[in-house]
Amino acid sequence: MKIIRLVSLSSSPDIDIHPDSALILPGRPLFMPEWGEGWVASLHPSVKIGRLGKNIARKFASRYYDGISLSLRVSLREPAGLEGVLSGMDSSLVNGSWLPAEHASEDMRVQVAVSDETVAESVAGPIAQTVDEVIAKVSEYMTLKMGDVVMLPPVAGPIEIKEGARITAALDGETVIDLRIV
């Protein structure tokens, strides 16, 4: 399983690959690292790949993902030195519950709350075209396999996180992320 994060949507994509050890298992809390100051979270629309593909044409890309959700990525606000290299550190990424891929063709309402206080709300227009473009572009460089996750640039962030907080994120009114920070 690969976790592919698209940093920008430019003509030459800037992508990061996160190890599967970066994922926090469902129901588990996020343990704040003891090193570094200024931890923040960003929220990314994400799709789950449902079939094997390489060099996927954009017009066929919608056939290759079967779920959409939000992914929450934890990082330092201003990384320096080794901290910048550890963008995909262990237990720094949460995938939300997966919704049917059809949600990508509708306006997606995203709402984020920290300790029951709404900190971000946005409406991302239909992202299906963007997802199709991203899948086509990424598949030029690597084979996409079942279970891989492709993260798009963030729709919310940076959100300050502190020990003892609870972050919830909803996609179209359905809570997909509920994360305790300890």
Side-chain angles (χ1 to χ4, degrees), residues 101-140:
E102 294 80 42
H103 282 268
S105 61
E106 307 163 0
D107 283 345
M108 294 186 342
R109 294 182 335 273
V110 177
Q111 183 177 29
V112 184
V114 176
S115 299
D116 297 326
E117 182 180 325
T118 301
V119 294
E121 284 188 84
S122 66
V123 176
I127 65 165
Q129 282 186 320
T130 304
V131 172
D132 293 351
E133 182 180 323
V134 167
I135 287 175
K137 187 59 87 174
V138 168
S139 71
E140 289 178 25

Side-chain angles (χ1 to χ4, degrees), residues 5-21:
R5 180 174 60 95
L6 190 72
V7 178
S8 69
L9 291 171
S10 62
S11 57
S12 59
D14 184 6
I15 59 175
D16 277 346
I17 307 293
H18 294 270
D20 57 359
S21 63

Side-chain angles (χ1 to χ4, degrees), residues 30-146:
L30 167 69
F31 292 95
M32 288 291 295
E34 293 178 8
W35 55 273
E37 295 286 324
W39 290 98
V40 293
S42 54
L43 208 59
H44 302 257
S46 300
V47 292
K48 183 176 60 157
I49 302 299
R51 63 191 280 195
L52 184 69
K54 174 88 170 126
N55 289 321
I56 302 164
R58 185 173 182 213
K59 66 181 179 181
F60 299 119
S62 63
R63 299 178 185 177
Y64 286 83
Y65 62 95
D66 57 8
I68 187 163
S69 189
L70 297 170
S71 294
L72 185 133
R73 179 178 168 266
V74 176
S75 62
L76 285 171
R77 181 180 296 277
E78 296 179 23
L82 183 58
E83 290 114 1
V85 175
L86 296 174
S87 64
M89 67 182 185
D90 288 355
S91 302
S92 64
L93 185 66
V94 175
N95 285 330
S97 305
W98 296 102
L99 302 177
E102 294 80 42
H103 282 268
S105 61
E106 307 163 0
D107 283 345
M108 294 186 342
R109 294 182 335 273
V110 177
Q111 183 177 29
V112 184
V114 176
S115 299
D116 297 326
E117 182 180 325
T118 301
V119 294
E121 284 188 84
S122 66
V123 176
I127 65 165
Q129 282 186 320
T130 304
V131 172
D132 293 351
E133 182 180 323
V134 167
I135 287 175
K137 187 59 87 174
V138 168
S139 71
E140 289 178 25
Y141 302 100
M142 64 190 76
T143 301
L144 297 176
K145 298 180 179 179
M146 286 180 64

